[in-house]
Amino acid sequence: MAEFELLQATAGELDRLMVVQPMDLAPEAESTGRYRSAVGAVVGQGRISHADLAVAVLDEIEAPPHRGVQWAVSH
């Protein structure tokens, strides 16, 4: 992604994380409480519920293992 490359080039010491959701963000899908993640590319089914995406983001905020990367989340 060009935006992420621009951010990397200009951010300096900024602590950042770019969350990438799958193309199929499914508001009607039930929450499972589970998700898969990877640095850089969407993994799994390429679909996730709003609730499970929120869980993934909150987990990342509470204990951030990823810094300065493009982080993809799906089921």
Side-chain angles (χ1 to χ4, degrees):
M1 286 189 137
E3 296 87 359
F4 186 69
E5 291 169 2
L6 178 63
L7 180 62
Q8 282 184 308
T10 60
E13 295 299 315
L14 182 66
D15 188 10
R16 69 210 179 276
L17 174 70
M18 177 182 264
V19 178
V20 179
Q21 69 194 35
M23 293 296 290
D24 190 2
L25 185 57
E28 74 287 349
E30 287 189 38
S31 174
T32 64
R34 297 177 304 184
Y35 59 88
R36 295 174 65 185
S37 68
V39 172
V42 173
V43 295
Q45 297 176 4
R47 174 185 181 116
I48 195 165
S49 69
H50 283 187
D52 289 336
L53 179 59
V55 167
V57 170
L58 290 174
D59 286 349
E60 187 68 27
I61 290 169
E62 290 177 350
H66 305 98
R67 295 181 183 270
V69 297
Q70 206 170 344
W71 182 61
V73 182
S74 69
H75 276 245

